[in-house]
């Protein structure tokens, strides 16, 4: 655990150091995109914070490769594939932020990057329920690419408020790390060093460090970072899925063995829900689901009267409400977890739907 905490601290420190440098470079060379119609900021600010996040993530993993405890993980291709995929996705995101790529070109680039990562070993090879396995390598490749592209776009969809995406990913990555670490102990592994745990603890540190600059009012946005962090989170879900032997678990075997499928979905529950609902709304209006507008969950909460920080806190809260119970199934009985989850969800609904008094407008003075 000490090694993981050290790596999280390294990732956070690197992000805190690199983000101001990236911001300075953007201002120095005029890389500050003009405001778009859907933007909530009143003045243009740099949007290439993803550069600092991606560099910090990759450097942290390279540092881990030099630590004897973690070094065996890098004997295979998977960690290298994840680093290459993160770098490629960051570059694509930067290009998109600067010149606004056509959605088909952007999606094509995402598929190529996810496909390359899958060829590097990040493939969903089996489902840990009833011993079901995918029927062919082609099907495995297709599902893996679909899963990764879906998650990265879901995370990108939610990146509309200061600190929203980075905070949600940090909560999800933290939950995922606890899950991965506990399940490794429950299975009696010789070493607690796993690729999935390494990836998500680095992701947690990067997002926590970036929040220092990205929380409202933000001084830099996560351009090139949201999709990259989504890609890394999706990769971690694929890596851990299928690695569990239910026969080694003593309690709640069926539920616990399904957690590799449940948890990745729990982590990205809010982004996926936003992606689905927003896409349906856009298509019902005759628009492409990839055309950006202001119909996301956070936009509707702002209209309902919540403050900028209040909306971010509400969506963070719902991410925790979904993620924490999924991890709790590892150590607590399902009925106690369900009870706590229901109570938390009821509180969440009450907070989210709280009505705000309408501001009364003062009557205009009538001149004589």
């Amino acid at each position: 655990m000490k090694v993981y905490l050290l790596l999280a601290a390294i990732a956070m420190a690197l992000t805190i150091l690199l983000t101001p440098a990236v911001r300075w470079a953007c201002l120095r060379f005029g890389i500050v995109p003009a405001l778009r119609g859907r933007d909530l900021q009143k003045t243009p600010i740099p949007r290439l914070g993803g550069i600092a996040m991606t560099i910090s993530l990759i450097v942290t993993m390279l540092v881990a490769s030099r630590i004897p405890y973690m070094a065996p993980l890098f004997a295979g291709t998977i960690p290298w594939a994840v680093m290459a995929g993160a770098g490629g996705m960051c570059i694509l995101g930067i290009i998109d932020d600067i010149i606004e790529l056509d959605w088909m070109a952007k999606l094509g680039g995402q598929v190529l990057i996810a496909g390359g990562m899958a060829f590097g070993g990040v493939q969903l090879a089996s489902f840990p329920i009833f011993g079901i396995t995918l029927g062919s390598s082609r099907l495995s490749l297709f599902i893996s690419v679909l899963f990764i592209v879906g998650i990265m776009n879901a995370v990108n969809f939610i990146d509309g408020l200061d600190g929203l995406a980075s905070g949600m990913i940090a909560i999800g990555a933290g939950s995922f790390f606890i899950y991965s670490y506990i399940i490794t102990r429950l299975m009696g592994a010789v070493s607690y060093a796993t690729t999935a745990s390494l990836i998500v603890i680095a992701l947690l540190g990067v997002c926590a460090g970036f929040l220092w600059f990205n929380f409202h009012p933000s001084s830099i946005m996560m351009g090139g970072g949201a999709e990259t962090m989504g890609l890394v989170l999706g990769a971690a879900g694929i890596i851990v899925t299928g690695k569990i032997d239910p026969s080694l678990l003593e309690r709640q075997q069926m539920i616990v063995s399904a957690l590799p499928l449940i948890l990745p979905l729990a982590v990205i529950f809010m982004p996926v829900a936003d992606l689905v609902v927003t896409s349906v709304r856009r298509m019902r209006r005759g628009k492409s689901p990839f055309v950006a507008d202001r119909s996301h969950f956070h936009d509707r909460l702002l209209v309902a009267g919540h403050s900028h920080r209040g909306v971010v806190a509400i969506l963070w809260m719902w991410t925790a409400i979904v993620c924490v119970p999924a991890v709790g199934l590892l150590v607590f009985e399902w009925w106690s977890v369900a009870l706590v989850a229901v109570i938390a969800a009821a509180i969440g609904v009450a907070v989210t739907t709280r009505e705000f008094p309408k501001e009364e407008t003062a009557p205009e003075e009538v001149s004589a």
Side-chain angles (χ1 to χ4, degrees):
M1 177 63 78
K2 292 180 180 178
V3 175
Y4 284 121
L5 294 178
L6 173 63
L7 291 171
I10 290 173
M12 183 185 299
L14 285 171
T15 307
I16 291 174
L17 289 173
L18 290 175
T19 301
V22 171
R23 183 177 185 276
W24 175 87
C26 289
L27 295 174
R28 173 67 177 80
F29 297 103
I31 311 176
V32 182
L35 288 177
R36 299 163 297 187
R38 66 180 187 272
D39 288 333
L40 297 175
Q41 294 80 22
K42 295 182 179 180
T43 58
I45 61 175
R47 288 209 303 258
L48 299 183
I51 297 175
M53 300 178 77
T54 305
I55 293 175
S56 300
L57 180 79
I58 293 174
V59 171
T60 300
M61 293 187 66
L62 290 174
V63 170
S65 71
R66 308 302 299 175
I67 299 176
Y69 184 71
M70 294 289 180
L73 301 177
F74 292 83
T77 61
I78 292 178
W80 304 105
V82 172
M83 286 188 281
M89 193 62 245
C90 179
I91 293 172
L92 180 64
I94 292 168
I95 295 173
D96 179 52
D97 263 358
I98 294 176
I99 65 175
E100 294 257 358
L101 291 173
D102 176 79
W103 72 266
M104 292 186 66
K106 183 178 178 180
L107 182 61
Q110 292 175 346
V111 170
L112 286 175
I113 293 169
M117 199 165 66
F119 276 115
V122 185
Q123 286 196 36
L124 186 64
S126 65
F127 293 110
I129 303 176
F130 304 121
I132 299 176
T133 57
L134 299 180
S136 68
S137 58
R138 289 183 180 179
L139 182 59
S140 173
L141 179 64
F142 173 77
I143 294 179
S144 300
V145 172
L146 182 64
F147 184 78
I148 293 172
V149 171
I151 290 180
M152 71 169 75
N153 279 291
V155 173
N156 186 51
F157 261 52
I158 206 70
D159 183 28
L161 293 179
D162 295 348
L164 179 57
S166 49
M168 290 178 67
I169 298 172
I171 293 169
S175 302
F176 208 120
F177 172 75
I178 295 171
Y179 159 77
S180 179
Y181 189 81
I182 292 177
I183 202 68
T184 303
R185 297 188 62 177
L186 290 176
M187 294 180 65
V190 177
S191 172
Y192 297 155
T194 64
T195 304
S197 296
L198 168 61
I199 291 172
V200 291
I201 200 66
L203 187 61
L204 171 60
V206 166
C207 291
F210 189 67
L211 269 174
W212 183 265
F213 308 95
N214 189 232
F215 195 62
H216 186 71
S218 173
S219 62
I220 188 170
M221 300 299 291
M222 199 193 292
E227 291 154 310
T228 304
M229 300 303 110
L231 175 140
V232 174
L233 188 62
I238 287 177
I239 291 168
V240 76
T241 300
K243 300 296 190 298
I244 296 176
D245 183 357
S247 65
L248 298 178
L249 303 173
E250 297 178 357
R251 303 166 51 200
Q252 303 176 199
Q253 291 187 9
M254 189 60 63
I255 297 176
V256 174
S257 64
L259 278 177
L261 298 179
I262 297 172
L263 191 61
L265 296 177
V267 169
I268 50 110
F269 172 79
M270 288 304 298
V272 167
D274 188 31
L275 173 63
V276 172
V277 174
T278 302
S279 296
V280 170
R281 286 198 187 110
R282 290 171 179 172
M283 289 188 290
R284 288 179 63 181
R285 294 197 298 267
K287 297 182 179 180
S288 166
F290 297 96
V291 174
D293 57 19
R294 294 186 60 179
S295 60
H296 296 287
F297 286 170
H298 54 265
D299 294 313
R300 299 173 71 84
L301 287 170
L302 287 170
V303 172
H306 293 280
S307 67
H308 191 121
R309 292 187 177 184
V311 172
V312 171
I314 287 172
L315 293 176
W316 284 1
M317 173 191 67
W318 277 109
T319 303
I321 287 173
V322 176
C323 290
V324 174
V327 177
L329 289 171
L330 283 172
V331 291
F332 300 106
E333 297 292 342
W334 69 268
W335 57 267
S336 61
V337 174
L339 178 61
V340 173
V342 169
I343 294 173
I347 295 173
V349 170
V351 172
T352 305
T353 59
R354 183 165 70 96
E355 294 185 0
F356 290 82
K358 301 292 185 181
E359 294 185 2
E360 296 183 2
T361 54
E364 297 182 1
E365 295 183 0
V366 181
S367 56

